[in-house]
Amino acid sequence: MTAGPTRPRKQIHLAAHFPGVNNTTVWADPRSGSQIDFASFVHLARTAERGLFDFFFLAEGLRLREHKGRVHDLDVVGRPESITVLNALAAVTDRLGLAATVNATFNEPWELARRLASLDLLSGGRAAWNVVTSSDAFTGENFRRGGFLDRADRYTRAAEFVAAARALWDAAGEGQRSFAWSGDHFTIAGESAPPRSPQGRPVVIQAGDSDEGREFAASAADIIFTRHGTLEAGRAFYRDVKRRLPGYGRREEDLKLMPGVTVVLGDTDADAQERAAEIRRQQISPQNAIHALELVWGRDLSAYDPDGPLPAVDPDPESALVQGRVRHADPFEAAARWRALSEEKGLSIWQTVIETTSRQSFIGTPSTVAAAMAEFVERDAADGFILVPHLTPGGLDDFVDTVVPLLQERGVFRTRYTGTTLREHLGLAGTGVEGLTA
């Protein structure tokens, strides 16, 4: 009896997230450097390119968050605007994709599409746009419209925004000088964007886990950036998003699922676990554990002991105690889940926050981490990973030096770039989504 053809090993996609404005970075570490010095961006980007990563990813913060009327102490003032940084990085990298997070609620399609098309053209087809939305009036105070969008409307605007941007990019690619768009949110008439890059148009990334976000990703995105704590949770999310694609005339390979993850390496698995625990204690101080608790409960809980039990009072769903930070959609469900975990494991407030706010991590020796990553992708819990290091800018050095070679030995990661554009790195055909409508 002759065996059937062997399925080729599924390839892992990797991307690098530049840390700096959240509770991920361990600023107290003596190796921690500047999050605004251009040399820091260059170091991490070149490390990612040396590791043959698909792209380099920048987050966005439009306003410093506030907690009880004061600036949240984990935010950092002065982070340069993302597309400006990526334009500069295009000159010091050759193949690495360059992804900017830009809000679709507080920008305009023609202006943003032109800036992204310029980055895409000048980088030789390496640009990507991470589409995010906001219904937050606090953030909107920096813009003339304020927080005018209801939560239910923000994805409607985002879908039309992406469709209008695609129409502009397509008009430029077809050599059309003029451009026009008319929809529910935008009426535009003007000049087209710069000529198309070798990849056709920028890659579209969507970050979100709600049902609306999943549907938006299935209809409009090339990559979905998400987070899941276990292999089974990742597989369930993977199945749910991929099953939506045929409804938009798309194939499974047209959308890559890349959760954000952390990696902690050690000489032994036990050593890595100890290091990971220490990093989490440095990332979440007792004070910030109370802040995280207040984000769920919406109440002033400063009198509570971080080493004591969770509060017995219910959350206040209408609270404005915290501004500019995303609250849980259902704070009662979140509070119940935290209480159940705390009671099951006998955890204090501080310990509960550390456990519940941990991003999915790969912890162990380089061999252990390589095997776990390969299993996640092979078992369809992800198509790859966006690595979020806890140090700026050298947080990926050890991973690239030790884990990447092991992934290559397994035959699940490239040994060289075979293309020049981000779409080629990702294995995305043509210019991306063809069925998106306003």
Side-chain angles (χ1 to χ4, degrees), residues 86 98-100 116 119-120 126-130 199 202-205 422:
L86 296 178
L98 304 166
L116 288 165
L119 172 62
D120 204 33
R126 296 189 280 141
W129 171 26
N130 178 38
Q199 76 168 349
V203 166
V204 172
I205 305 170
L422 179 53

Side-chain angles (χ1 to χ4, degrees), residues 48-325:
E49 188 163 72
R50 177 166 60 85
L52 305 176
F53 282 34
D54 289 358
F55 61 92
F56 175 90
F57 180 79
L58 284 174
E60 176 186 65
L62 294 178
R63 182 170 180 177
L64 294 176
R65 301 167 295 178
E66 291 185 6
H67 195 101
K68 301 178 186 175
R70 301 178 63 184
V71 171
H72 189 247
D73 67 357
L74 291 179
D75 275 3
V76 180
V77 178
R79 179 76 169 264
E81 188 271 332
S82 295
I83 296 180
T84 304
V85 173
L86 296 178
N87 277 312
L89 289 177
V92 296
T93 55
D94 296 315
R95 302 292 183 91
L96 186 69
L98 304 166
T101 301
V102 187
N103 198 296
T105 305
F106 302 121
N107 286 282
E108 296 298 323
W110 184 89
E111 188 271 341
L112 179 56
R114 185 169 181 267
R115 292 168 63 208
L116 288 165
S118 298
L119 172 62
D120 204 33
L121 178 67
L122 297 175
S123 67
R126 296 189 280 141
W129 171 26
N130 178 38
V131 184
V132 295
T133 64
S134 177
S135 58
D136 179 12
F138 173 79
T139 300
E141 289 175 3
N142 279 337
F143 302 86
R144 66 181 177 87
R145 285 189 174 87
F148 79 105
L149 274 184
D150 290 335
R151 180 182 178 89
D153 295 330
R154 58 181 184 161
Y155 281 117
T156 303
R157 176 185 165 99
E160 186 178 327
F161 196 123
V162 174
R166 285 185 62 243
L168 175 59
W169 294 329
D170 289 347
E174 295 165 2
Q176 299 175 18
R177 181 174 177 81
S178 61
F179 164 78
W181 174 273
S182 181
D184 293 335
H185 290 271
F186 310 106
T187 300
I188 310 165
E191 297 288 317
S192 62
R196 274 188 174 181
S197 78
Q199 76 168 349
R201 67 171 75 100
V203 166
V204 172
I205 305 170
Q206 193 272 330
D209 200 20
S210 67
D211 188 70
E212 296 96 329
R214 298 181 191 203
E215 202 67 29
F216 179 56
S219 69
D222 301 300
I223 300 169
I224 183 166
F225 175 36
T226 184
R227 57 183 294 174
H228 293 287
T230 65
L231 177 68
E232 288 309 313
R235 295 186 71 196
F237 181 84
Y238 192 99
R239 289 191 300 268
D240 180 64
V241 173
K242 296 280 186 172
R243 71 171 176 79
R244 300 171 190 245
L245 292 167
Y248 298 96
R250 306 182 66 194
R251 305 166 301 169
E252 283 197 9
E253 57 267 33
D254 291 334
L255 176 64
K256 307 299 181 185
L257 273 65
M258 299 182 66
V261 300
T262 59
V263 173
V264 181
L265 301 172
D267 295 331
T268 65
D269 288 345
D271 173 50
Q273 290 289 347
E274 290 179 8
R275 292 186 63 195
E278 176 59 26
I279 289 167
R280 290 302 296 160
R281 285 191 291 270
Q282 291 176 307
Q283 289 171 324
I284 305 292
S285 68
Q287 175 194 12
N288 283 318
I290 296 296
H291 286 181
L293 198 70
E294 290 174 337
L295 181 62
V296 174
W297 262 259
R299 298 180 181 278
D300 183 347
L301 303 174
S302 56
Y304 281 75
D305 181 358
D307 292 320
L310 270 65
V313 296
D314 287 333
D316 176 4
E318 305 301 323
S319 171
L321 187 75
V322 180
Q323 298 277 18
R325 300 183 71 192

